Amino acid sequence: MDQSMTGVVDKRTPYANGEVAATYRKVSWRLVTFLFVGYLVAYLDRINVGFAQLQMQHDLGFSDAVYGLGAGIFFAGYFIFEVPSNLMLEKIGVRKTMMRVLICWGVVSACMRFISSPIEFYVMRFMLGVFEAGFVPGAILYLTYWYPETRRARVLGIFSSAITIAGVIGSPVSGAIMTHLAGVYGMAGWQWLFVLEGIPAVVLGLLVPYVLVNRPRDATWLTRREQDILDHHLASERGLNGADRRHTFGDALKDPRVYLLAFVYFAIICGIYAVSFWLPTIIKNAGVKDVFDVGLYSTIPYGIGALGMIFISRHSDVKMERRWHLAGCAFIGGAALVMIAATAGNLTLALVAFAIATATIFTGMPLFFALLTSYLSGTAAAGGIALINSLALLGGFVSPAVMAWAKTTTGSFTSGLYFLAALLALAGLAVLLCVPAQALRETGKRAVGEISPDGAVLEQPVLSDS
């Protein structure tokens, strides 16, 4: 191969920097883009109940408590079925797993238009959680089959930014559907919302066999040399980090640090769903009465949050530092929730506070999983990621329940936001006090010494001292 066409080749690797970067771009455009769209659709189907609430509560006579329980019970189904789903992915592969997940949750989401009572609402939300379980931890596990640790935070940042892009796109779209389709063919606007936002998941599920493959060696759209590049980087990382030790799911179950990490992610999830489920309501309470306008205003914090996720995640990769990035996001996000409570009656200040909260709390997701996937390997990664994710996603049940309780008993969301802010502060302290800095520094030194964030092999590792 002509080195003048591909760039300088480092003496410790047979691959030029340019072809390495081109290989990862090729993988990202195909796999990360597809998973990103899948997560965007998943998040829309998960939180569109926040917009549906603006009409559904009135039409069906649901109280804030009924809505809060229905919004949160999704995560009970998710909790029960997530670990089995991810362990099954290891056995049957990503294609069968993702097809099942996408098609089933799309059908259930569309069938939400038939609910007419609290019991039906609870059952459908529970089933949506059952069928969606496994998508996010499965996607995270799948990406570790393709990307070494030095690229993982930014890739996970792009993937996780789907939840903020879902807000940017979904908020005005949801508002427009509910405003302009209300009454069409005898269906309420919220019924159209569930139907139209459920169909894309089914379509994506049908596309899975044509887009996803289980491992780099199965990818016919990569050349043999491109497959070798991926295998070289992943094998080098496994050797350097000791990841060829095959941890079992039982090892993960017995590791107390797994449960500590689950608490950290639990707090992040509580903060995320405090924003996701209640942002439309808080904007409406600030004086915006038109549903479509509520959707437009909601795009502001989500748009800023998306930029924040990508920038902070990339900075974490460049510095190969996870602890302070993650803890800092938890601290600032908690402070932003306090700001939301203090500025809830002022639309401008509330949007500023929501933007800060979104940019920091949501960024905790990719930073957390970048840290986690460097800690777990083997079967422990498949089961451990799912275990932590499922335990933490109980925060999606706790958060709306706490907020609904606060609104019902006090007439405002203030006490609920203070409680969630305290959880985030504790999570930040847990990361700094209980996650071993030395171990992460050594992991970073080995990883960066092998492959730099831009795909080159470094002679001198560049690390943060944090």
Side-chain angles (χ1 to χ4, degrees):
M1 180 173 291
D2 186 354
Q3 293 181 15
S4 67
M5 298 296 292
T6 58
V8 177
V9 179
D10 189 279
K11 63 183 179 181
R12 290 179 294 176
T13 178
Y15 306 111
N17 299 343
E19 65 177 335
V20 169
T23 299
Y24 280 107
R25 281 196 300 270
K26 192 172 182 179
V27 172
S28 295
W29 273 112
R30 186 182 183 97
L31 302 185
V32 179
T33 299
F34 184 84
L35 294 173
F36 172 91
V37 174
Y39 196 14
L40 187 153
V41 172
Y43 205 72
L44 279 179
D45 288 343
R46 191 182 301 181
I47 68 166
N48 57 13
V49 70
F51 272 93
Q53 174 206 17
L54 300 177
Q55 293 178 350
M56 185 175 66
Q57 275 192 264
H58 177 268
D59 290 353
L60 302 181
F62 289 175
S63 66
D64 284 331
V66 169
Y67 167 74
L69 179 58
I73 206 169
F74 165 94
F75 298 97
Y78 206 111
F79 171 78
I80 294 169
F81 286 90
E82 183 170 9
V83 171
S85 179
N86 228 38
L87 291 175
M88 188 176 295
L89 183 147
E90 275 279 281
K91 294 178 182 288
I92 68 174
V94 68
R95 282 184 168 180
K96 293 179 181 178
T97 300
M98 291 301 179
M99 278 190 70
R100 170 184 57 80
V101 166
L102 285 159
I103 293 173
C104 290
W105 105 51
V107 170
V108 171
S109 180
C111 288
M112 287 279 292
R113 57 91 58 210
F114 294 109
I115 63 173
S116 59
S117 69
I119 294 299
E120 292 172 352
F121 182 41
Y122 300 152
V123 170
M124 294 302 290
R125 287 288 296 176
F126 179 84
M127 293 305 297
L128 185 64
V130 168
F131 288 121
E132 192 184 316
F135 177 78
V136 173
I140 291 168
L141 177 65
Y142 180 59
L143 290 173
T144 66
Y145 299 164
W146 298 80
Y147 293 92
E149 184 183 348
T150 47
R151 293 178 174 269
R152 210 166 285 159
R154 74 183 65 184
V155 169
L156 292 173
I158 294 170
F159 170 70
S160 300
S161 70
I163 64 178
T164 55
I165 300 300
V168 173
I169 297 173
S171 296
V173 169
S174 297
I177 289 172
M178 293 174 62
T179 300
H180 300 299
L181 293 182
V184 175
Y185 295 115
M187 289 170 55
W190 60 269
Q191 291 176 311
W192 277 111
L193 179 68
F194 288 130
V195 171
L196 294 180
E197 293 188 354
I199 292 173
V202 177
V203 174
L204 287 173
L206 296 174
L207 292 175
V208 164
Y210 304 100
V211 179
L212 301 184
V213 293
N214 291 326
R215 300 275 183 170
R217 286 294 173 190
D218 301 325
T220 57
W221 41 272
L222 291 175
T223 66
R224 181 60 180 269
R225 186 170 178 84
E226 289 168 339
Q227 293 174 347
D228 290 342
I229 288 172
L230 299 177
D231 284 346
H232 170 76
H233 284 179
L234 292 168
S236 297
E237 180 182 81
R238 285 194 297 270
L240 288 166
N241 292 343
D244 282 328
R245 298 191 314 270
R246 301 303 293 174
H247 299 98
T248 67
F249 181 44
D251 293 333
L253 287 174
K254 292 181 287 187
D255 187 343
R257 196 168 291 147
V258 165
Y259 299 97
L260 170 72
L261 291 170
F263 166 74
V264 172
Y265 194 40
F266 170 84
I268 294 169
I269 291 297
C270 282
I272 285 173
Y273 286 105
V275 174
S276 300
F277 284 139
W278 297 101
L279 174 60
T281 300
I282 291 175
I283 290 176
K284 183 179 180 181
N285 291 344
V288 180
K289 301 304 180 185
D290 184 79
V291 174
F292 181 68
D293 289 342
V294 170
L296 290 178
Y297 279 112
S298 298
T299 65
I300 297 172
Y302 281 121
I304 293 173
L307 296 176
M309 289 182 80
I310 294 172
F311 173 78
I312 297 172
S313 297
R314 180 177 180 83
H315 189 266
S316 174
D317 268 352
V318 169
K319 296 296 184 181
M320 279 307 296
E321 198 289 315
R322 310 300 189 199
R323 292 171 68 251
W324 279 102
H325 280 77
L326 179 55
C329 283
F331 292 141
I332 297 171
L337 292 185
V338 174
M339 289 173 59
I340 292 171
T343 61
N346 184 308
L347 179 61
T348 301
L349 293 179
L351 287 174
V352 171
F354 267 115
I356 296 172
T358 305
T360 53
I361 299 172
F362 284 53
T363 304
M365 291 181 66
L367 294 177
F368 176 83
F369 280 109
L371 183 151
L372 177 62
T373 53
S374 68
Y375 180 67
L376 295 175
S377 64
T379 306
I385 290 171
L387 174 65
I388 288 172
N389 200 55
S390 60
L391 289 172
L393 279 177
L394 289 176
F397 178 83
V398 172
S399 181
V402 167
M403 295 286 282
W405 174 85
K407 182 68 163 58
T408 301
T409 57
T410 69
S412 76
F413 296 109
T414 299
S415 58
L417 289 168
Y418 287 163
F419 173 77
L420 300 178
L423 275 182
L424 284 167
L426 288 174
L429 288 174
V431 170
L432 295 179
L433 296 177
C434 302
V435 176
Q438 181 62 30
L440 292 180
R441 275 200 297 270
E442 291 304 315
T443 298
K445 287 178 182 178
R446 290 191 296 265
V448 178
E450 175 67 14
I451 310 164
S452 76
D454 63 1
V457 175
L458 297 180
E459 291 289 338
Q460 298 294 329
V462 180
L463 297 167
S464 168
D465 290 328
S466 301

